[in-house]
Amino acid sequence: MDFTLDPDTVAIAEAVLRFVEREVLPLQERHHDLLGSERTLFDASGRYVPEVLALRQQVRKRSAELGFYTLFGDEKLGGGGLGAQAMVHVQEALNHRVGPAQPLVQTVVLPSPFTNGLSPVLRHLNPEVLARYRDGIASGDKTLCFGLSEPDAGSDAFGMKTRAVRDGDEWVLTGTKQWITNSPYADYAMVFALTDPEAAARHKGGVTGFFVDTRAPGFSVPRVINTMGHLGGDTGVIVLDGVRVRDEYRLGEVGRGLAVAMDGVNAGRMGMAASCLGLARWALDQALEYAKVRKTFGVPIAEHQAIQFMLADSAMDIYAAKAMIQNCAWRLDSGQASTAQVSMVKAFSTEMLGRVMDRSIQIHGGMGLTNELRLEDGYRFARVMRIPDGTGEIQRRTIARQLLTGQADL
Ligand SMILES: Cc1cc2nc3c(=O)[nH]c(=O)nc-3n(C[C@H](O)[C@H](O)[C@H](O)COP(=O)(O)OP(=O)(O)OC[C@H]3O[C@@H](n4cnc5c(N)ncnc54)[C@H](O)[C@@H]3O)c2cc1C
């Protein structure tokens, strides 16, 4: 196997980094008073303040103008259609360069792979309806969210209670969605609801997807869910109180909603894994630099074997994750079944980032715990990533099932 990247992919990653270095990071620096602290980033309800939303929109639109925002969108949707190998390379490079907690970079320069931007889920929307919305989404002007999980339905999506009941040419949606990323700010939501509860109870379909305008009567986001010590964020609760959606706004066939929802899950998991890889490399760089300059007992701490072992363990973790990610991306691009591999990559890379961030904090001593170095932010991010897009246990369940049915092809 040869994972040498083609020159075009290398050039694209360099162009994205140039954009971030020349335009986005300087913009962020100019607005440091606003963006540098969560006390000014969020309002009392935990939502981004309007000025921050405007800056994020400005960066999205500029990224779209330059062709970056839609790089990984399906060609059928008018996106760049770049494959998994290109995607993981760009995500790794970007996260390695910027590190964690950059409010104008992460999920802004490039959207989260299937929950925003030119999501593969949009391929299931009626082409005439899509035509009305596509340009707004592709230009970064409008954003999306993906509403599958509920208070009583996360790993087991069939446990959802949100109902969609047909009424003539319309569907009436009622229920509550929880943990929905970008829901407090999204213009449109891809919402999944029960249309046949009996079929869903037998895990045989019964769920249907809908494209919903978040300004529709009955649609509200009553609260933001703050996690891991943050003062705000982008994950919210959606309440659907008799929201009317025309049938033409359905996503895919009636009863096939979970298949629609899972379309793009590979891209999401690979994108997350590659971001974790980039952040782990960033954290190891910080630890290496610090270990060379910080002295104890008359020598740089890099000379202590205990520190060297932590550096080496992190390098092993990163190398293993990188090899898995590259191999899996190559499998996906060459059309090989990779269900077990994608689950291994997602679980391993997110857990790997936790270990690497932890060691980097340890190497920094007390400095590692300060907010300024962003290591503790990276540590919290790593802990969070083990839950969404399938928990570590759900990934292991998938891997084991693939092994037990002889499909893992290791
Ligand atoms: C930051 C963040 C962003 C998110 N964004 C979105 C989003 O945009 N859209 C969306 O729809 N959802 C989103 N989610 C929801 C996410 O997908 C769920 O939290 C996740 O699937 C887990 O579901 P749960 O929280 O209900 O946990 P549960 O499913 O209740 O699981 C609880 C525990 O039991 C374990 N478990 C469950 N079933 C099994 C089993 N069969 N075998 C072994 N262990 C099991 C789990 O691994 C976990 O440890 C987000 C979550 C977070 C934290």
Side-chain angles (χ1 to χ4, degrees):
M1 273 167 244
D2 178 1
F3 295 130
T4 311
L5 291 161
D6 67 88
D8 285 352
T9 302
V10 175
I12 287 168
E14 280 169 4
V16 172
L17 292 190
R18 255 197 319 278
F19 164 56
V20 168
E21 277 161 6
R22 290 190 188 161
E23 297 190 36
V24 185
L25 294 178
L27 181 71
Q28 204 168 263
E29 194 46 45
R30 277 204 299 285
H31 293 274
H32 181 75
D33 287 350
L34 176 67
L35 302 170
S37 161
E38 293 202 349
R39 290 193 183 89
T40 47
L41 208 54
F42 301 117
D43 67 17
S45 74
R47 286 170 165 81
Y48 286 119
V49 298
E51 296 84 347
V52 172
L53 288 174
L55 285 169
R56 284 166 68 91
Q57 187 189 47
Q58 180 184 333
V59 173
R60 273 199 312 273
K61 288 171 89 164
R62 181 73 181 127
S63 174
E65 253 172 50
L66 297 170
F68 302 140
Y69 190 70
T70 53
L71 272 177
F72 307 114
D74 194 307
E75 276 172 339
K76 287 191 202 121
L77 296 170
L82 292 190
Q85 290 172 98
M87 192 262 282
V88 297
H89 174 67
V90 176
Q91 287 286 10
E92 177 194 339
L94 180 62
N95 283 278
H96 181 206
R97 168 64 187 88
V98 301
Q102 303 284 15
L104 296 189
V105 182
Q106 271 110 8
T107 71
V108 183
V109 172
L110 306 172
S112 325
F114 76 111
T115 57
N116 203 346
L118 287 177
S119 162
V121 174
L122 295 174
R123 290 185 300 205
H124 302 274
L125 191 57
N126 173 326
E128 281 171 27
V129 175
L130 177 64
R132 284 175 223 151
Y133 296 95
R134 201 215 74 99
D135 289 353
I137 295 168
S139 68
D141 190 28
K142 307 286 186 196
T143 63
L144 289 171
C145 65
F146 174 91
L148 181 66
S149 304
E150 300 189 359
D152 292 324
S155 305
D156 181 10
F158 279 114
M160 71 170 63
K161 296 198 173 80
T162 297
R163 289 291 313 267
V165 177
R166 187 93 191 222
D167 181 20
D169 254 4
E170 294 182 332
W171 294 85
V172 182
L173 272 58
T174 307
T176 302
K177 296 286 171 186
Q178 185 162 293
W179 307 113
I180 310 307
T181 306
N182 198 42
S183 59
Y185 318 108
D187 300 281
Y188 315 116
M190 301 173 278
V191 174
F192 298 86
L194 290 178
T195 43
D196 183 348
E198 282 171 21
R202 284 181 278 115
H203 284 207
K204 294 268 184 278
V207 173
T208 304
F210 299 91
F211 183 84
V212 184
D213 190 321
T214 59
R215 291 166 308 178
F219 189 107
S220 63
V221 179
R223 75 181 185 93
V224 174
I225 308 168
N226 298 345
T227 51
M228 296 295 290
H230 289 293
L231 301 181
D234 57 4
T235 310
V237 173
I238 296 177
V239 171
L240 302 149
D241 182 9
V243 176
R244 291 190 161 268
V245 184
R246 293 224 301 279
D247 186 52
E248 60 178 343
Y249 282 67
R250 192 172 10 94
L251 288 161
E253 290 170 33
V254 174
R256 299 273 304 138
L258 282 192
V260 169
M262 290 302 136
D263 195 1
V265 72
N266 282 349
R269 290 177 179 172
M270 295 301 288
M272 188 189 284
S275 302
C276 288
L277 172 60
L279 291 176
R281 290 185 57 199
W282 173 87
L284 178 57
D285 287 352
Q286 311 301 306
L288 282 167
E289 285 307 306
Y290 193 74
K292 287 183 213 160
V293 296
R294 175 73 179 171
K295 288 189 176 162
T296 66
F297 301 94
V299 293
I301 59 171
E303 291 187 22
H304 302 311
Q305 194 181 43
I307 300 291
Q308 290 178 0
F309 278 14
M310 283 194 271
L311 295 170
D313 282 339
S314 288
M316 284 194 276
D317 258 338
I318 288 171
Y319 186 56
K322 183 156 182 154
M324 285 170 89
I325 291 171
Q326 284 183 329
N327 175 270
C328 189
W330 165 78
R331 287 178 67 101
L332 290 170
D333 283 348
S334 52
Q336 299 179 55
S338 306
T339 304
Q341 284 76 8
V342 172
S343 284
M344 289 190 245
V345 162
K346 197 275 175 178
F348 186 85
S349 305
T350 51
E351 292 167 15
M352 175 280 300
L353 179 60
R355 293 192 292 272
V356 172
M357 282 289 173
D358 186 64
R359 292 187 198 108
S360 293
I361 288 176
Q362 194 66 16
I363 290 169
H364 281 78
M367 281 306 292
L369 300 173
T370 64
N371 297 347
E372 291 133 68
L373 297 188
R374 292 187 283 134
L375 284 165
E376 63 82 34
D377 221 317
Y379 181 73
R380 287 188 280 160
F381 176 82
R383 185 62 191 84
V384 170
M385 287 302 108
R386 286 168 52 193
I387 306 283
D389 243 355
T391 63
E393 292 72 34
I394 292 301
Q395 305 302 340
R396 285 173 173 80
R397 178 177 181 258
T398 303
I399 298 161
R401 287 181 158 198
Q402 292 277 307
L403 283 170
L404 292 166
T405 53
Q407 297 179 79
D409 180 27
L410 294 177

